[in-house]
Amino acid sequence: MKVAMFSTKRYDRTFFDAANRDRHEITYFEPRLTASTAPLAERYPAVCAFINDELDAATLKILAAGNTRTIALRSAGFNNVDLPEAKALGMNVVRVPAYSPYAVAEHAVGLVLTLNRKLHRAYSRVRDDNFALDGLLGFDLHGATVGIVGTGKIGRCFACIMQGFGCKLLAYDVYQNPECLEMGIEYVELPELLGRSDIISLHCPLTENTHHLVNDETIALFKPGVMLINTSRGALIDTAAAIQGIKSGQIGYLGIDVYEREADIFFEDLSDEVLHDDVFQLLQSFSNVVITAHQAFFTRNALEAISSTTLANLDDIEQGRSCANEVKS
Ligand code: NAD
């Protein structure tokens, strides 16, 4: 099948070429998919898209007019797709529901350890021959209470690792995961989780219900000085409210791999340019904030799984089989 792949980086090409072995005819496009770049996909029956590609109604209509019938997401999340519009246009949307929950959970733990033991600050200090410890004081994770919002595949992996540290685990989810119950995780309502946790980690999808789940009102419920980790989707956090929370000390540490307005900046080298996002710049200025640029998924294992599953999804569509990874609206 002819596939137009958007937001392609060198590493995507490497992993897809290795897994594809000329099965599908893939054209790699570097630009992000938007209504302006969608005409590039004219006459491609399939479009392969990533997390910051904009599959809104306008883009989907252009793709459909150019005869695209399949959207193959190389991600688990599908909050960037207007599913009702895709359905109305008769398009299949397929995704990679689980490529490596370990990759994302382990990165979330990396953010916890970095923030707690201030490794980001220690690293530059030692390189500067400053061997003083003032300002680097951490706390034992053993015995700390960790609140997990969303106990699906990634949340459960995160829970397993934190349990290994000897943390007490609380969880909130609209659905209780039997594997988490078996581990002894205590499910509570969201306000209780927010009020009792020393560390809160977000692992739920971005939906209408979870948009700005962290806002002025919910931040007021936090234990003062809480550590907040978000490796899920940027818009789970109202960034302006988080900044106020950091300034007031209500949020003691913030570790994010995702950011509400990341689509304009992440995955690009902008080191020679002036960044115009003042909110992001302010966020970066706090020493108790660690930001990574949506790299939690970025392991060799995950990229292998993303390419092989995406190609298998395209095989299913091409051969008219039902695809287990189809996203239903
Ligand atoms: P999953 O579907 O296995 O788990 C999501 C869990 O969230 C489910 O248990 C679901 O019941 C729960 N949930 C749904 N609505 C909720 C709500 N309103 N409140 C609380 N919980 C709710 O998904 P997953 O594979 O664990 O991935 C979780 C999220 O991680 C994805 O949606 C995606 O946004 C994000 N993600 C980020 C990266 C990255 O590189 N940073 C990579 C992959 C996935």
Side-chain angles (χ1 to χ4, degrees), residues 185-234:
I185 296 182
E186 182 187 350
Y187 277 93
V188 294
E189 288 304 315
L190 186 61
E192 183 176 345
L193 179 145
L194 301 180
R196 283 175 60 193
S197 302
D198 301 304
I199 299 169
I200 297 168
S201 195
L202 307 179
H203 297 290
C204 59
L206 176 62
T207 64
E208 273 176 20
N209 293 333
T210 60
H211 184 263
H212 285 186
L213 181 138
V214 174
N215 55 44
D216 286 324
E217 286 79 42
T218 49
I219 289 172
L221 302 174
F222 288 174
K223 240 187 195 183
V226 75
M227 181 186 293
L228 177 64
I229 304 293
N230 186 10
T231 55
S232 201
R233 283 292 180 268

Side-chain angles (χ1 to χ4, degrees), residues 7-311:
S7 297
T8 311
K9 299 290 178 199
R10 195 163 38 118
Y11 44 81
D12 295 309
R13 213 186 173 113
T14 304
F15 281 88
F16 269 86
D17 280 348
N20 187 31
R21 296 206 192 97
D22 298 329
R23 212 149 96 221
H24 296 284
E25 201 184 312
I26 306 176
T27 305
Y28 297 103
F29 292 111
E30 281 180 29
R32 201 155 66 83
L33 176 59
T34 61
S36 323
T37 57
L40 288 170
E42 197 176 349
R43 286 192 289 278
Y44 284 84
V47 156
C48 185
F50 200 45
I51 43 189
N52 288 329
D53 287 321
E54 279 171 23
L55 290 140
D56 53 12
T59 307
L60 290 172
K61 282 193 178 109
I62 297 167
L63 293 177
N67 282 330
T68 298
R69 290 290 167 264
T70 298
I71 305 295
L73 300 171
R74 28 187 219 285
S75 61
F78 46 86
N79 52 284
N80 52 337
V81 187
D82 184 335
L83 289 177
E85 184 65 31
K87 190 177 180 185
L89 293 166
M91 289 174 150
N92 298 306
V93 180
V94 292
R95 66 174 181 139
V96 185
Y99 41 86
S100 172
Y102 310 105
V104 183
E106 289 167 12
H107 191 80
V109 175
L111 291 173
V112 170
L113 292 170
T114 303
L115 283 162
N116 177 18
R117 307 308 295 267
K118 303 174 175 61
L119 301 179
H120 54 304
R121 299 177 67 192
Y123 174 79
S124 14
R125 272 197 201 184
V126 170
R127 285 176 69 92
D128 225 11
D129 295 341
N130 175 355
F131 307 113
L133 298 184
D134 304 275
L136 300 183
L137 193 66
F139 61 90
D140 285 4
L141 288 177
H142 183 95
T145 300
V146 176
I148 303 168
V149 181
T151 51
K153 292 174 286 295
I154 296 171
R156 190 188 77 85
C157 286
F158 179 78
C160 289
I161 302 171
M162 298 315 284
Q163 196 168 53
F165 281 120
C167 298
K168 155 109 186 109
L169 301 178
L170 300 178
Y172 169 72
D173 197 310
V174 288
Y175 160 79
Q176 298 194 353
N177 182 339
E179 290 175 309
C180 291
L181 287 168
E182 216 167 282
M183 284 170 63
I185 296 182
E186 182 187 350
Y187 277 93
V188 294
E189 288 304 315
L190 186 61
E192 183 176 345
L193 179 145
L194 301 180
R196 283 175 60 193
S197 302
D198 301 304
I199 299 169
I200 297 168
S201 195
L202 307 179
H203 297 290
C204 59
L206 176 62
T207 64
E208 273 176 20
N209 293 333
T210 60
H211 184 263
H212 285 186
L213 181 138
V214 174
N215 55 44
D216 286 324
E217 286 79 42
T218 49
I219 289 172
L221 302 174
F222 288 174
K223 240 187 195 183
V226 75
M227 181 186 293
L228 177 64
I229 304 293
N230 186 10
T231 55
S232 201
R233 283 292 180 268
L236 294 179
I237 299 181
D238 175 346
T239 314
I243 287 173
Q244 287 312 314
I246 292 161
K247 284 183 172 173
S248 71
Q250 186 72 351
I251 296 175
Y253 315 77
L254 178 68
I256 54 173
D257 185 53
V258 286
Y259 166 62
E260 293 195 80
R261 283 156 59 187
E262 69 176 49
D264 295 334
I265 51 177
F266 281 10
F267 304 124
E268 302 302 330
D269 178 357
L270 303 178
S271 52
D272 287 333
E273 296 182 28
V274 173
L275 213 57
H276 292 278
D277 186 333
D278 294 350
V279 174
F280 187 80
Q281 296 286 43
L282 180 56
L283 208 51
Q284 290 223 72
S285 70
F286 301 111
S287 64
N288 55 351
V289 173
V290 170
I291 307 174
T292 53
H294 213 134
Q295 70 168 88
F297 75 99
F298 199 58
T299 66
R300 176 169 27 92
N301 319 63
L303 291 189
E304 279 166 3
I306 288 171
S307 52
S308 61
T309 307
T310 303
L311 293 164

